[in-house]
Structures are given as C-alpha cells and as structure tokens.
Amino acid sequence: MINTYHTSMAPPPIPPRMNRYPFLIPAPEPSRGYSKALLRFLAAVVLLHFLLSLGGFVYLLLVPRKGTNSTSIASKKGNNPSDEGKVAFHTSERERGSDRAMARMTVMKHSNQTESGYLQWNMAHSSLRDIYYYKKSWLTVELAGDYFISSRVTFSKGKPEQPLISWVKLRKYKEAKEEDVMKAYCSLGSRSQVCTASQGEMITLEKGNQLSVWVEDLSQVDYDVKATTFGMHRL
C-alpha cells in the first residue's frame, strides 16, 4: 500500500512580488492656480502681521509722551519728584476753580443820591458767573454753598468825629426781610480825607439768597472803580 502522506517532492516556489503595495495610486501634482492662491494668502497674512506690529510699536512709542507733561514741568521746577504731585494738584485746583460761582462788582453813582441806601452795581466794570444781577443793587445766588464775601467801601467825605459804616445785607428771597450779615467801620480822622471800611467773611448761602451793600450816606462814598468794590466767590 502506497503512503500518500509522505513524498519527496518539494512544494512549488512562491513567485516574486513585483510591487509590495500595488494598491497605492500616486497623487496628482497640485495645479498652478492653487499654488498662486496659497502664495497670495500667505503674503496677505505676512503683510497683516507686519502692519499690526508696526501699529503696536507706534502706540507704545507715543503713549508715554502724553503723560510726560507734568513730569517735564516738575523737572523744570527743580528736579524734585515731589514737585510733580504739587503741579498736578494746582492744575486740578485751577480747573475746578474755573467753574466756581463768582462776582467781582464795582459801584456807580445814583442818579438821585439820598442820605442812606444801597450801593448800585456798575455792570460795565463788573463780572459775574452763576450769580445774577437784580434791580441794580442786589446779587442773586444760583448755586448753594459756602461763599467768601468781601466788601471794600471807601469814603471821601464826612465828619472826623463820626465813624463811617457799611453793611452787607442778606435776604433769603426777593420779598423776604433783610438782615445784616457783615459790618465795617472807618474814620476819616483830623488829617486824612479818605478812609476805607473793609470786611471779609465766609457765609453759607442757599439758592435764591440775595446780597447787597448799604451805607448811611451815599454822598460820602468814593465811586472810583478801584476804591469801592464787592466780591463773592464760591468755595
């Protein structure tokens, strides 16, 4: 009986493989139009990055210069670091002071001078801000607050033995009863023919309050614009 499970014949050889990955297909080369579009996009990105960098550099270069004004002023004052704060403080005070209510008044002669009465304001040589002129002799407050009131009345006539007096009068509103809030005296003396009654005080005023100056004899007042004045400044 022949054994068919054992033979001396060798198995046939495996044929050589011509290509290890025969299923791969080489990709086609990109078209020229696609390459140009890609180059343009990259150029635009580079240009945008350059412009942003340039803008940032200019911003960083210019911004510090805006804050060097007070420093440069302080260096001119004496190169003291503490001067910078002082300069900034005074600047802010001037800015705030420019918005404060104020009045600088001079007086004019009455058309008919009486023995006593209120001084009348000479608006041609006076200035007002947030304070209103009312019926020749009164000033009306628009903004409530603390005011520094100053009055200077110069007298050029009178009896040496009698002191001359000026009052600053206040009324709460137009029809209210007036009250004395300031009073000053001066005396001509035996040799001097001129004297000045000066006064200054801080007064708290409300909106609508009115102030005026009253003297016993209007004919004795020196009406020069530099001799007799009245002022009020909101603090």
Side-chain angles (χ1 to χ4, degrees):
M1 186 175 181
I2 301 172
N3 186 4
T4 57
Y5 297 98
H6 297 278
T7 178
S8 61
M9 296 180 62
I14 299 174
R17 296 180 181 178
M18 299 301 294
N19 190 351
R20 192 171 183 178
Y21 305 100
F23 56 89
L24 295 178
I25 301 174
E29 296 182 358
S31 62
R32 294 183 178 180
Y34 176 80
S35 299
K36 291 182 179 179
L38 181 60
L39 290 176
R40 290 176 182 175
F41 175 75
L42 293 176
V45 171
V46 172
L47 180 60
L48 180 62
H49 179 72
F50 172 76
L51 293 177
L52 291 176
S53 300
L54 180 62
F57 175 76
V58 174
Y59 177 80
L60 294 176
L61 183 64
L62 295 181
V63 167
R65 293 184 179 180
K66 295 181 181 179
T68 55
N69 292 333
S70 60
T71 305
S72 60
I73 295 174
S75 62
K76 293 179 181 179
K77 293 289 184 179
N79 295 326
N80 189 346
S82 62
D83 290 340
E84 181 178 354
K86 295 178 182 179
V87 172
F89 172 77
H90 291 307
T91 301
S92 62
E93 284 296 318
R94 286 195 298 270
E95 291 174 353
R96 287 182 297 186
S98 63
D99 297 331
R100 291 175 181 168
M102 53 76 61
R104 296 187 183 96
M105 312 301 295
T106 60
V107 294
M108 64 180 180
K109 289 184 178 181
H110 288 249
S111 56
N112 294 316
Q113 289 187 353
T114 58
E115 182 177 353
S116 60
Y118 299 100
L119 298 179
Q120 293 184 357
W121 310 124
N122 183 357
M123 297 306 298
H125 298 279
S126 301
S127 59
L128 295 169
R129 182 166 59 240
D130 293 327
I131 295 173
Y132 296 102
Y133 169 68
Y134 179 74
K135 288 190 176 180
K136 298 182 179 181
S137 296
W138 293 91
L139 296 177
T140 304
V141 174
E142 178 65 18
L143 299 174
D146 296 330
Y147 286 78
F148 180 77
I149 311 298
S150 62
S151 173
R152 183 175 72 240
V153 180
T154 300
F155 298 96
S156 58
K157 298 177 183 179
K159 298 179 180 180
E161 64 275 9
Q162 295 181 352
L164 299 169
I165 310 172
S166 69
W167 283 267
V168 174
K169 293 185 176 288
L170 165 70
R171 60 188 186 189
K172 300 296 183 180
Y173 49 92
K174 297 177 183 178
E175 293 79 14
K177 183 179 179 180
E178 60 193 43
E179 57 182 287
D180 300 336
V181 291
M182 297 169 63
K183 187 176 182 179
Y185 300 85
C186 74
S187 298
L188 294 175
S190 58
R191 297 182 180 180
S192 174
Q193 297 300 315
V194 178
C195 73
T196 300
S198 299
Q199 51 192 324
E201 188 174 341
M202 188 189 75
I203 301 177
T204 300
L205 301 174
E206 300 295 333
K207 181 178 180 179
N209 290 177
Q210 295 183 327
L211 294 174
S212 187
V213 179
W214 190 90
V215 296
E216 287 185 335
D217 191 344
L218 292 170
S219 65
Q220 297 176 346
V221 176
D222 184 347
Y223 290 95
D224 186 272
V225 295
K226 297 181 179 179
T228 301
T229 63
F230 178 81
M232 50 190 303
H233 298 79
R234 186 170 182 264
L235 303 178

